[in-house]
Structures are given as structure tokens and as C-alpha cells.
Amino acid sequence: MTPFTMNVIHIIQNIPEGRVMTYGQIAELAGSRRAARQVVRILHSLGRKHRLPWHRVVNAKGEIALVEEEPRMLQILYLKGEGVEVDAEGRIDLEAYRYHPEPGAD
């Protein structure tokens, strides 16, 4: 596993309940600011194995990026269950719910 992949997994594992991060934000914190699509692939391929809170990751606009109905509704359900407000179009207010980890915090 590459250092980038390990960093992505660690960052996602540490997103607190009721907060979200974007794919690009995770990529930048993991060391490759242009690797948002790689974060998507890591989440898809390793999410279950590492029990990642996949539902806490959204796109740069604060939107749920999933298009298939069932996973999209599941993400909305999980987020709402944690107190995150999701509007009818599947958007989250990033100003209110985006998580910003403290530099150097574990």
C-alpha cells in the first residue's frame, strides 16, 4: 500500500460523526492535491475492508456524488442520522459541516 493510500484511509477514518470532507480536501491532506479521483477509487476498493465512513465524503460542491438511487439514499440516510442537513438535491452546507482537521492531529 502506498503512503498516499495509507494517508487517505487514515484521514477518512478520522472524520468525526456529523461532519463531512470533500474528495479533493482529502487528496490534498494526503499529499496529492490533484488526486481526488484516486480518493474515490481508494474509497470504493478499500472502504469495506477498512470500515471507512464513506458516507462522510462528498464532492467539492458539497453534493452527494453517487448517482445510483439506493446508495445515494443510504448516504443521505446515514448523514441525516448523524445530524447533517441534506437538502432535496443532495447538497450539504460545507460551511456548516465541513471538517477541518487540526494540523498534525491524529
Side-chain angles (χ1 to χ4, degrees):
M1 190 177 306
T2 69
F4 177 78
T5 299
M6 289 187 296
N7 288 341
V8 167
I9 289 168
H10 179 75
I11 291 164
I12 295 171
Q13 285 173 330
N14 287 287
I15 302 171
E17 186 174 312
R19 303 301 293 253
V20 298
M21 292 181 77
T22 68
Y23 298 103
Q25 180 186 7
I26 293 165
E28 186 169 356
L29 286 171
S32 185
R33 66 187 292 207
R34 298 179 146 232
R37 287 191 175 150
Q38 185 63 22
V39 172
V40 173
R41 285 191 284 275
I42 292 166
L43 201 49
H44 180 74
S45 63
L46 299 174
R48 280 192 182 175
K49 178 179 180 182
H50 293 277
R51 303 188 69 194
L52 299 177
W54 60 272
H55 60 284
R56 297 179 187 148
V57 184
V58 297
N59 73 18
K61 296 177 184 177
E63 299 169 339
I64 292 174
L66 300 171
V67 292
E68 291 182 36
E69 184 74 19
E70 189 173 336
R72 181 180 178 80
M73 294 311 295
L74 194 57
Q75 185 172 12
I76 292 169
L77 181 68
Y78 287 167
L79 288 170
K80 285 184 174 183
E82 293 182 358
V84 176
E85 293 180 30
V86 182
D87 73 12
E89 285 78 40
R91 288 187 302 251
I92 291 108
D93 180 354
L94 290 177
E95 291 294 317
Y97 296 103
R98 186 193 307 242
Y99 176 59
H100 295 281
E102 295 293 323
D106 265 335

